[in-house]
């Protein structure tokens, strides 16, 4: 069987817990979003139960215990740390102590590497705004396919902070009540906390493996913070991904949307999806009504969750979606449905018009 | 693996001495405070309203890119990628934004510039570059990593042009920040515009400059940012004088030789 890039191990932490708890909660229609004051700004937020998990060291100590890194540690892997801002407690406006991690992502990557006990052949830090996680996986895929490394470890981390919350608040992007992706009444995003760790390898798939068969990226070249109204940038990334996967639109079982629940993002994304699928898209879903927007780590967290939903053969509900928006006409549902075709096109978009897409396909046993 | 040479279509660098482009070196004007004080007419022929508002890393990246792209517009915007090494991220902008929070009025413009990837945004918007971007905000030798990845993307056939950037805003601005890096350096930026072999011939000023990456040998260690800046300086100096060069490199991201052939 032809070799492919496979996610061999995975672990995550988000507002709903680890991988298993989060998957089950989303399938049960549970959202972690609670309307509550967040750092004195009245927004809904999705905090970890234990705020220590917002700390880089604690989060990765826990994640490292949930995967088996013994073999990886001996393989000198490629290590990629993906974050938009990472652990920036030292940049909080009221920070007085100096005993906090460096705000530089380069220093945080070294810290994660040390905590997980990995001695990488190579360390990369990828910061492509909210698309960081999926771009890191795409870079790992590209290099693994060229057999430059025996395996790759991708780590993602981004958490709620006053620094980030105040920024989104200043842009008027936060929902006062909670994210409702693709809903006609949506009024903004909800921030969330998240960390994830994945081990990738290029090998022959065995029965039931999920393979990353394609990936591509594009830039809107349009606006510093707003998405392109035409959706063409994200469409280019999605179409490029299908092209380099050798897959036609009719062979895609579902679309995992970026789905931030801002008015403009979701409308743009619906246009991109309709362009890609010639107005006949497969079922689409967003997870941000359940776990919030976990920024640069989010696309990695959502990729791992998407893979799990593929394994469970169930397209998850889009939580908080009740009323279809005629301005964003794609098939989103508040209920879980079965996959007709075992593949998911994962989409992500970030500030600066950075778009990324990736295709996950389940190999038949 | 395809290891074909790629063409150097153009380049630029901005350092403490001045601005280097193919066939030209311009010193800073009297009273001009080096790279952090670079002015729009030194970069672009026409006004660009956003230029004066750009945060320092973004301005350095935009300036180096615009100088390299002068007279070398991308052949196909959707097949042109931007690969940026920015080892210190956007820390100076982070500190400015934090001050705006402390002042009670968080600045949305500064907030969007606190993302390291902000440094590619205006390049893409102004020059209409719509291909893939990857921002390497640290790790082993971010410039070499960006160069290697960009070259491999050209060799894969996905891209026709690749803009390889390096931006280091230096350390003087944030001596008090909680950074482990306590070295002192001034702002620096450079850009290499690389083309696939299928691209049209390079401009006359770079008649046949090409780069090959060879992953062989037992090259020198490249473990610090200072070492990488020295390597970039050697590369730019060789391009400026049309000299061939073979630099051994060993970083986590790349092991082998960067070979520059000029004739």
């Amino acid at each position: 069987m032809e070799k492919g890039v496979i996610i061999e191990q995975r672990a995550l932490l988000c507002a709903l817990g680890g991988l298993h708890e989060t998957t089950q909660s989303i399938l049960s229609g549970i959202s972690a979003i609670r309307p509550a004051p967040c750092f004195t700004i009245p927004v809904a937020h999705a905090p970890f139960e234990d705020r220590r998990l917002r700390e880089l060291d604690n989060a990765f100590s826990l994640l490292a215990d949930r995967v088996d890194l013994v073999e990886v540690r001996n393989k000198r892997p490629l290590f990629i740390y993906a974050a938009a801002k990472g652990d920036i407690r030292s940049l909080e406006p009221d920070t007085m102590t100096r005993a906090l991690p460096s705000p530089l992502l380069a220093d945080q990557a070294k810290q994660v590497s040390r905590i997980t006990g990995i001695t990488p052949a190579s360390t990369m830090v990828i910061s492509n705004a909210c698309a960081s996680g999926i771009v890191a996986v795409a870079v790992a895929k590209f290099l693994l396919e060229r057999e430059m490394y025996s395996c790759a470890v991708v780590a993602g981390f981004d958490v709620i902070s006053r620094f980030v919350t105040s920024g989104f608040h200043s842009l008027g992007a936060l929902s006062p009540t909670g994210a409702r992706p693709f809903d006609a009444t949506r009024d903004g995003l909800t921030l969330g906390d998240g960390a994830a760790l994945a081990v990738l390898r290029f090998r022959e798939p065995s029965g039931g493996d999920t393979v990353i068969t394609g990936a591509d990226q594009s830039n809107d070249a349009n606006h510093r913070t707003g998405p392109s109204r035409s959706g063409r940038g994200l469409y280019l990334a999605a179409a490029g991904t299908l092209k380099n996967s050798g897959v036609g639109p009719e062979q895609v079982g579902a679309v995992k949307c970026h789905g931030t629940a801002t008015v403009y993002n979701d409308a743009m994304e619906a246009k991109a999806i309709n362009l890609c699928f010639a107005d006949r898209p497969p079922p689409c879903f967003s997870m941000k009504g359940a776990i919030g927007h976990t920024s640069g780590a989010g696309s990695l967290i959502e990729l791992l969750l998407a893979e799990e939903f593929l394994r469970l053969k169930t397209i998850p509900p889009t939580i908080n979606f009740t009323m279809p928006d005629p301005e964003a006409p794609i098939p989103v549902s508040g209920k879980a449905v079965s996959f007709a075709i075992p593949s998911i096109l994962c989409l992500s978009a970030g500030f600066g018009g950075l778009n990324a897409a990736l295709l996950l396909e389940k190999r038949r046993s | 693996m395809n290891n074909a040479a790629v063409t150097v279509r153009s380049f630029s660098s901005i350092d403490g001495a001045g601005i280097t482009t193919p066939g030209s070196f311009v010193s800073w004007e009297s009273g001009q405070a080096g790279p952090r004080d670079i002015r729009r007419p030194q970069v672009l022929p026409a006004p660009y309203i956003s230029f004066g508002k750009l945060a320092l890393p973004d301005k350095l990246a935009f300036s180096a890119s615009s100088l390299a792209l002068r007279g070398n517009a991308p052949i196909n915007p959707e097949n042109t990628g931007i690969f940026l090494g920015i080892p210190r991220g956007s820390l100076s902008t982070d500190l400015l934004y934090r001050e705006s929070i402390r002042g009670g009025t968080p600045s949305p413009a500064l907030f969007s510039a606190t993302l390291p990837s902000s440094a590619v945004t205006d390049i893409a918007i102004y020059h209409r570059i719509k291909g893939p971007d990857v921002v390497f905000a640290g790790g082993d030798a971010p410039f070499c990593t960006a160069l290697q990845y960009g070259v491999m993307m050209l060799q894969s056939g996905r891209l026709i042009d690749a803009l390889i950037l390096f931006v280091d805003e230096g350390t003087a601005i944030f001596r008090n920040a909680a950074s482990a890096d306590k070295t002192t350096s001034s702002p620096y930026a450079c850009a290499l515009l690389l083309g696939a072999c299928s691209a049209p011939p390079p401009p006359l000023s770079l008649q046949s400059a090409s780069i090959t990456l060879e992953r062989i040998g037992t090259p020198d260690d490249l473990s610090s940012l200072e070492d990488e800046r020295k390597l970039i300086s050697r590369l730019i100096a060789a391009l400026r004088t049309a000299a061939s060069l073979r630099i051994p490199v060993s970083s986590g991201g790349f092991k082998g030789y960067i070979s520059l052939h000029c004739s």
Side-chain angles (χ1 to χ4, degrees):
Chain A
M1 192 177 285
E2 195 178 331
K3 280 185 173 182
V5 173
I6 289 150
I7 303 172
E8 283 204 330
Q9 298 194 61
R10 76 286 291 152
L12 64 84
L13 289 168
C14 68
L16 287 171
L19 180 65
H20 179 71
E21 301 97 309
T22 303
T23 309
Q24 292 307 317
S25 294
I26 292 175
L27 290 177
S28 305
I30 296 170
S31 171
I33 295 172
R34 302 280 179 273
C38 182
F39 304 112
T40 73
I41 296 168
V43 294
H45 66 126
F48 281 132
E49 288 300 313
D50 182 346
R51 71 185 303 264
R52 285 175 302 175
L53 297 180
R54 287 202 192 122
E55 298 168 358
L56 194 76
D57 296 32
N58 289 315
F60 280 100
S61 294
L62 201 60
L63 289 174
D65 286 343
R66 295 184 182 189
V67 292
D68 181 2
L69 293 172
V70 173
E71 193 196 348
V72 172
R73 287 183 183 120
N74 297 327
K75 292 278 185 184
R76 302 265 294 154
L78 165 66
F79 172 62
I80 306 182
Y81 178 57
K85 294 303 293 177
D87 187 334
I88 49 168
R89 281 174 288 151
S90 64
L91 288 174
E92 290 289 71
D94 53 358
T95 292
M96 301 301 286
T97 175
R98 287 180 168 269
L100 289 171
S102 160
L104 288 180
L105 297 176
D107 293 336
Q108 292 175 30
K110 287 177 193 162
Q111 202 171 339
V112 174
S113 180
R114 193 173 59 247
I115 294 162
T116 52
I118 298 165
T119 308
S122 173
T123 300
M124 296 180 186
V125 176
I126 292 184
S127 188
N128 271 44
C130 296
S132 300
I134 201 168
V135 171
V137 171
V139 169
K141 173 183 181 293
F142 186 85
L143 297 173
L144 287 171
E145 284 172 344
R146 283 151 183 80
E147 304 196 353
M148 292 183 62
Y149 304 95
S150 59
C151 62
V153 177
V154 180
F157 185 84
D158 270 305
V159 289
I160 298 173
S161 61
R162 282 183 67 184
F163 187 98
V164 172
T165 308
S166 62
F168 278 104
H169 186 63
S170 72
L171 288 163
L174 295 176
S175 167
T177 49
R180 299 185 296 284
F182 296 102
D183 193 90
T185 66
R186 68 187 182 275
D187 57 4
L189 61 85
T190 298
L191 291 169
D193 296 312
L197 197 61
V199 179
L200 280 66
R201 201 181 295 267
F202 182 56
R203 62 165 169 78
E204 285 184 11
S206 51
D209 272 339
T210 302
V211 182
I212 302 168
T213 53
D216 201 13
Q217 294 151 250
S218 67
N219 193 307
D220 286 344
N222 177 68
H223 194 271
R224 288 191 72 81
T225 54
S228 156
R229 301 291 172 92
S230 71
R232 182 161 170 79
L234 187 59
Y235 157 73
L236 286 174
T241 295
L242 297 190
K243 185 181 174 189
N244 66 40
S245 298
V247 162
E250 71 287 352
Q251 292 169 275
V252 176
V255 180
K256 183 214 74 66
C257 302
H258 187 54
T260 60
T262 64
V263 171
Y264 294 123
N265 174 82
D266 292 6
M268 171 282 291
E269 200 167 3
K271 283 182 184 164
I273 291 167
N274 279 315
L275 274 173
C276 186
F277 292 93
D279 293 327
R280 289 193 301 278
C284 300
F285 63 96
S286 164
M287 302 185 205
K288 291 186 174 68
I291 62 172
H293 189 348
T294 51
S295 195
S299 53
L300 179 60
I301 289 169
E302 293 179 7
L303 177 71
L304 300 182
L305 288 167
E307 190 206 19
E308 191 67 3
F309 291 124
L310 203 48
R311 191 181 66 77
L312 296 169
K313 301 175 182 168
T314 308
I315 299 170
T318 296
I319 292 171
N320 294 337
F321 174 84
T322 54
M323 190 187 300
D325 178 7
E327 300 299 316
I330 54 171
V332 177
S333 172
K335 292 182 179 170
V337 292
S338 297
F339 276 96
I341 301 162
S343 65
I344 301 183
L345 178 66
C346 298
L347 303 179
S348 188
F351 273 6
L354 301 171
N355 304 298
L358 186 148
L359 188 72
L360 288 175
E361 288 188 86
K362 193 86 179 163
R363 290 290 157 92
R364 295 186 194 285
S365 303
Chain B
M1 195 186 308
N2 178 356
N3 199 27
V6 298
T7 305
V8 184
R9 296 185 65 206
S10 184
F11 69 93
S12 73
S13 79
I14 300 165
D15 61 20
I19 299 169
T20 304
T21 51
S24 164
F25 172 76
V26 180
S27 302
W28 299 112
E29 294 168 12
S30 64
Q32 195 172 10
R36 72 180 69 253
D37 193 24
I38 192 164
R39 293 164 192 166
R40 195 275 304 160
Q42 293 171 310
V43 174
L44 293 174
Y48 177 47
I49 196 163
S50 300
F51 187 85
K53 300 175 191 169
L54 293 174
L56 179 62
D58 301 9
K59 186 177 285 188
L60 290 170
F62 180 80
S63 298
S65 303
S66 299
L67 289 163
L69 288 163
R70 190 184 283 173
N72 287 289
I75 294 161
N76 182 340
E78 292 173 8
N79 295 111
T80 302
I82 304 173
F83 305 97
L84 166 66
I86 183 165
R88 286 184 238 264
S90 50
L91 193 49
S92 66
T93 318
D94 294 346
L95 299 178
L96 288 172
Y97 176 66
R98 182 171 68 176
E99 287 312 304
S100 81
I101 305 174
R102 284 175 172 163
T105 314
S107 160
L110 277 175
F111 174 64
S112 68
T114 62
L115 293 166
S117 54
S118 169
V120 304
T121 303
D122 278 77
I123 301 166
I125 293 171
Y126 186 86
H127 297 286
R128 312 300 301 157
I129 295 174
K130 298 183 177 180
D133 312 314
V134 183
V135 177
F136 298 98
D140 302 323
F143 171 77
C144 290
T145 304
L147 175 64
Q148 179 186 26
Y149 194 72
V151 167
M152 290 174 75
M153 288 288 276
L154 288 166
Q155 291 167 339
S156 76
R158 168 66 181 85
L159 299 180
I160 296 172
D161 287 312
L163 194 56
I164 313 297
L165 302 175
F166 178 80
V167 171
D168 179 11
E169 59 180 346
T171 52
I173 302 161
F174 42 84
R175 297 293 298 162
N176 295 321
S179 167
D181 188 345
K182 297 299 177 193
T183 56
T184 302
S185 58
S186 56
Y188 178 84
C190 76
L192 296 179
L193 178 63
L194 305 181
C197 296
S198 56
L204 290 176
S205 52
L206 282 175
Q207 285 194 8
S208 62
S210 63
I211 283 182
T212 314
L213 302 183
E214 303 167 70
R215 293 176 198 89
I216 54 168
T218 52
D220 298 340
D221 185 42
L222 186 71
S223 53
S224 73
L225 183 53
E226 285 67 36
D227 289 340
E228 186 163 50
R229 279 183 59 156
K230 284 178 195 163
L231 177 148
I232 298 167
S233 296
R234 285 181 65 193
L235 199 59
I236 295 293
L239 280 164
R240 188 178 163 189
T241 56
S244 293
L245 191 66
R246 192 164 183 257
I247 309 174
V249 175
S250 175
S251 76
F254 177 75
K255 286 183 174 61
Y257 293 86
I258 297 174
S259 296
L260 175 69
H261 306 278
C262 294
S263 60

